Amino acid sequence: MSPSRLSRPAERGSAVRPGGGALRPLRTDEVELTGGLLHDWQRRNRQATVPHALAELRAAGNLDNLRRLLDPELGAYRGRYPFLDTDLYKTLEGLAYELGHDETPTGAREFFDEVVGLLEQVQAADGYLNSFFQDPQSTKKPWQDLAWGHELYNLGHLIQAAVAANRQLGDARLLGVARRFADLVVRKFGATGEQVVCGHPEVEMALVELYRETGVEDYLVQAQLFVERRGRGHLVHSTFPADYFQDNAPIRELPSVTGHAVRMAYLAAGAADVHLETGDASLFSALERLWDDMVATKLYITGGLGSRHSDEAIGDRYELPSERAYSETCAAIATMQWAWRMFLAGGDSKYLDVFETVLYNAYGVGLSAAGAAFFYDNPLQRRPDHEQRSGAESGGEPLRRSWFGCPCCPPNIIRWMAQLQDYLAAERDGTLYLCQYADARVTTETFAVTVRTAYPWNGDITITVDRAPDDEAGLALRIPAWAAAADVSVNGVAVGNEPDRGWLTVNRRFAAGDEVRLVLPMTPRAHGSHPYLDATRGAVAVARGPLVYCLEQQDAAAPVDDLLIGPTQVAEARVVPVEVVAGTPGQVVLDVTAGVAPTPADELYPVLTGRSADEGPAGSAQARLVPYFLWGNREAAAMRVWFRQS
Ligand code: FUB
Ligand code: ZN
């Protein structure tokens, strides 16, 4: 770690800064994570993940791909994909946050300056920028293949990095590059230009954010055009079907979230951004409908989206296999981006509940405890002899990998980790909304509070008012849907009011020193699944608070496939604070006494003769359930989230 050389701006805007909507997200400088799991995750990002990624990006040739446009002697384009510049952009976005810290990751400043300098040099005179297509030896020309070329997807990540650099560091160099490219896109693909869309949504939310940052309306109009154009047959595609690109129907008419999972959730997040600026109510109701359908039929219990390895697709309703779950880490991030915008639009806490589930499970699992190895796909079950496919890549490490040929997930993890504080709190009409619970200092113009908690390991949250508004004000506490009850008190006196749309709001004339205490029950829960969900019907999953638990073979006295765990075993589980994996303080495990099923017959499909399928357990065995996000940090072994009951 080296000391930062930057003086960052006093006001640092968060990643999403809507002009409309119900709530204002607090700025980055208004929320500071001070301790606990999320804070430790951020420190790990700074100390381990970023330095690791910078080395991988250099080794993989991402910088050389830019350099060789200036020096052809450097050889051929490195890598298979036309979107490898985005690995740099996502990393730059994360670095924009990290460079604002008192201590910066080793090599971060040099890397940032080097890449920004290269981008400034290689950008074409008309603003175009993509090292794959600018390659004189490339067989493809710019804009020749909108479906697969990812050029606008590239622009989207460039814009997001540029906005972050401008907001977090007051460094406008990248913004200049991004605007030149965005202006080209507006000229070429605007209302009277070519009627095309990109095969991979992403640029929509970026263009809206560029509009927010610059006030230039053209960018918002362009985002709106891209959202509305999709699904009207403007994409020429061959390898993948129309729904892979969400091009089978306009977004307002899509019957359900469909196609490639990351594309779908980025598109929906972009459409939500358009709604936030335009107030387009019918667009929002379409998004609400898609969201509700997704949550009711297509989301894993971990919050993961996308069940198919084939085409990295979401799959049909109730198609949620555990072992072959795809649940790409990028899709987890995209789902949180969508959730946050839906919340900002209307204030409903149900979006934050899903955000929380994704954060601690489908997203958290993507990174190793030490911070330098990644899952691309995130299955909910692993058999000891089965291979971890890790996206399109087979062979290699049995668990998380240090990098990928298609490394979309690692830098996505980095940027998201760096900006976690942007999603902790919001405000509306003098009410401060605490969206996620973590040790933090929250300081707005009128309110300053300190949050102390060991969440998600326990549900005790204390909010101390450091500075109170002059008049009566509100403190809104999210009561997660998983919480069967919630005790709220102010200075030791119980607050009687009920939550409204998931928010319990304390309204009063606060004074410095006031203490608001929220206690959420952290009783382990046994979850079943919808009867149509054949893959896990009759099975039980275990959760406690926002954490989904799993069982790894090293923690069970019998094969995990033979263990029987039902609601009774979960109700009797012992909640034990113990460190399973070094480097993650405060862990809580659940010790259960599981039944052990009789040894199964060898037949794959035995004839049923009236013999009871439910003979009851042949014995019992001790088993220790660990948080799902921590699995795979020891030697590769069997793992399950869903357990047999019989
Ligand atoms: O196409 C760009 C990225 O690569 C996608 O978002 C990921 O799913 C991976 O396919
Ligand atoms: Zn990915």
Side-chain angles (χ1 to χ4, degrees):
M1 306 280 278
S2 58
S4 169
R5 282 188 273 125
L6 268 182
S7 57
R8 55 188 168 169
E11 286 203 352
R12 287 171 290 132
S14 53
V16 187
R17 221 178 51 185
L23 289 111
R24 176 184 83 85
L26 295 196
R27 294 191 310 268
T28 308
D29 59 277
E30 291 177 307
V31 186
E32 188 192 355
L33 281 162
T34 53
L37 185 64
L38 299 185
H39 169 266
D40 290 350
W41 278 4
Q42 286 201 323
R43 192 173 45 197
R44 176 183 62 185
N45 199 38
R46 213 165 293 140
Q47 295 182 347
T49 316
V50 167
H52 171 81
L54 301 189
E56 292 287 347
L57 286 162
R58 286 187 187 282
N62 294 62
L63 279 79
D64 286 341
N65 284 342
L66 295 170
R67 253 187 232 117
R68 59 188 292 282
L69 299 178
L70 304 167
D71 177 7
E73 299 290 299
L74 279 175
Y77 181 85
R78 306 263 302 275
R80 280 175 56 196
Y81 302 100
F83 49 84
L84 297 176
D85 294 348
T86 60
D87 304 327
L88 295 172
Y89 297 149
K90 285 183 256 187
T91 305
L92 293 185
E93 185 180 340
L95 292 187
Y97 283 84
E98 298 300 358
L99 289 172
H101 278 270
D102 295 339
E103 285 197 310
T104 57
T106 307
R109 167 52 52 193
E110 295 74 12
F111 187 93
F112 187 88
D113 287 339
E114 189 176 347
V115 178
V116 172
L118 280 169
L119 292 167
E120 287 180 314
Q121 287 180 73
V122 304
Q123 181 166 37
D126 66 355
Y128 186 84
L129 184 51
N130 179 304
S131 68
F132 178 87
F133 288 99
Q134 281 174 273
D135 175 4
Q137 283 149 30
S138 171
T139 51
K140 288 188 175 175
K141 297 288 155 243
W143 309 124
Q144 182 194 324
D145 179 8
L146 264 294
W148 186 245
H150 287 77
E151 286 145 294
L152 296 171
Y153 167 84
N154 265 39
L155 170 61
H157 281 298
L158 168 62
I159 292 172
Q160 287 172 331
V163 169
N166 202 43
R167 287 184 187 165
Q168 299 300 319
L169 304 172
D171 183 341
R173 287 176 296 166
L174 214 45
L175 196 64
V177 176
R179 286 195 62 176
R180 281 191 286 281
F181 195 0
D183 290 342
L184 168 69
V185 166
V186 169
R187 285 196 304 276
K188 203 168 164 50
F189 304 126
T192 54
E194 294 166 49
Q195 303 295 294
V196 299
V197 291
C198 182
H200 199 314
E202 148 69 20
V203 76
E204 297 79 1
M205 63 177 141
L207 281 168
V208 176
E209 212 56 55
L210 188 58
Y211 156 69
R212 292 171 180 151
E213 190 64 1
T214 61
V216 176
E217 216 160 301
D218 287 353
Y219 303 136
L220 172 61
V221 171
Q222 193 62 48
Q224 206 171 358
L225 286 170
F226 283 146
V227 167
E228 300 294 351
R229 257 180 216 166
R230 188 172 296 274
R232 298 180 197 278
H234 293 298
L235 264 181
V236 182
H237 43 80
S238 49
T239 315
F240 299 102
D243 76 334
Y244 174 87
F245 306 100
Q246 296 75 42
D247 197 35
N248 49 323
I251 188 162
R252 294 162 196 275
E253 293 161 31
L254 276 182
S256 182
V257 290
T258 190
H260 183 272
V262 184
R263 283 170 167 80
M264 178 70 238
Y266 279 163
L267 172 64
D273 268 328
V274 168
H275 159 75
L276 278 164
E277 298 310 316
T278 61
D280 183 332
S282 66
L283 184 58
F284 189 61
S285 20
L287 292 171
E288 282 180 305
R289 182 177 51 73
L290 288 170
W291 177 273
D292 289 344
D293 180 65
M294 173 182 79
V295 173
T297 67
K298 295 191 170 178
L299 219 50
Y300 280 99
I301 192 167
T302 54
L305 177 67
S307 58
R308 290 190 192 166
H309 281 242
S310 173
D311 294 358
E312 306 185 305
I314 292 173
D316 289 327
R317 292 193 176 104
Y318 305 115
E319 183 188 339
L320 293 165
S322 288
E323 192 180 5
R324 300 301 295 156
Y326 200 65
S327 185
E328 184 181 334
T329 307
C330 284
I333 294 164
T335 305
M336 288 187 277
Q337 291 181 312
W338 182 14
W340 182 242
R341 288 156 175 81
M342 296 298 279
F343 158 68
L344 292 177
D348 198 323
S349 78
K350 71 180 181 184
Y351 300 109
L352 299 178
D353 289 347
V354 173
F355 184 113
E356 176 181 76
T357 302
V358 178
L359 175 65
Y360 288 115
N361 301 287
Y363 168 73
V365 73
L367 184 57
S368 65
F374 313 88
F375 277 143
Y376 184 124
D377 55 312
N378 295 286
L380 282 75
Q381 179 188 359
R382 182 182 193 278
R383 290 218 155 89
D385 54 339
H386 286 197
E387 189 190 341
Q388 175 74 26
R389 283 292 304 272
S390 289
E393 290 152 54
S394 53
E397 297 103 300
L399 290 166
R400 293 179 182 83
R401 296 173 188 219
S402 52
W403 209 246
F404 302 93
C406 173
C408 50
C409 300
N412 222 355
I413 291 177
I414 285 176
R415 68 165 178 156
W416 194 253
M417 209 59 99
Q419 58 191 242
L420 284 179
Q421 67 287 323
D422 290 1
Y423 307 96
L424 245 61
E427 76 174 3
R428 161 166 63 181
D429 302 336
T431 295
L432 176 62
Y433 286 73
L434 294 185
C435 302
Q436 304 296 340
Y437 297 114
D439 264 8
R441 251 189 309 275
V442 180
T443 316
T444 72
E445 219 170 275
T446 52
F447 231 142
V449 303
T450 300
V451 185
R452 292 239 169 284
T453 179
Y455 199 87
W457 305 116
N458 79 37
D460 206 336
I461 300 141
T462 302
I463 302 126
T464 307
V465 176
D466 302 320
R467 178 166 41 78
D470 293 337
D471 302 320
E472 182 175 316
L475 182 63
L477 307 173
R478 183 175 62 88
I479 310 301
W482 54 257
D487 288 334
V488 179
S489 59
V490 180
N491 300 329
V493 179
V495 172
N497 49 336
E498 289 295 312
D500 174 23
R501 287 201 305 167
W503 294 104
L504 199 150
T505 307
V506 178
N507 285 307
R508 60 187 273 131
R509 211 182 165 110
F510 286 99
D514 278 351
E515 203 170 88
V516 180
R517 188 163 171 225
L518 165 65
V519 181
L520 298 168
M522 286 282 188
T523 316
R525 306 185 302 277
H527 287 268
S529 27
H530 190 283
Y532 296 172
L533 207 168
D534 289 67
T536 53
R537 183 172 48 229
V540 161
V542 184
R544 178 175 177 270
L547 300 179
V548 173
Y549 277 71
C550 71
L551 180 54
E552 293 186 89
Q553 188 57 67
Q554 42 274 76
D555 296 321
V560 294
D561 285 352
D562 293 343
L563 292 185
L564 309 178
I565 299 177
T568 311
Q569 286 74 25
V570 176
E572 290 169 358
R574 289 172 299 287
V575 177
V576 189
V578 72
E579 190 168 282
V580 192
V581 179
T584 305
Q587 296 159 46
V588 170
V589 301
L590 306 176
D591 284 347
V592 296
T593 305
V596 180
T599 308
D602 281 341
E603 277 176 287
L604 195 51
Y605 303 111
V607 174
L608 301 178
T609 56
R611 181 188 62 183
S612 168
D614 182 9
E615 293 176 19
S620 66
Q622 294 304 304
R624 166 164 286 180
L625 309 185
V626 302
Y628 169 71
F629 81 82
L630 283 173
W631 94 272
N633 280 293
R634 296 171 283 175
E635 72 275 22
M639 180 280 290
R640 295 186 77 99
V641 166
W642 289 97
F643 304 105
R644 294 169 60 183
Q645 290 197 75
S646 61

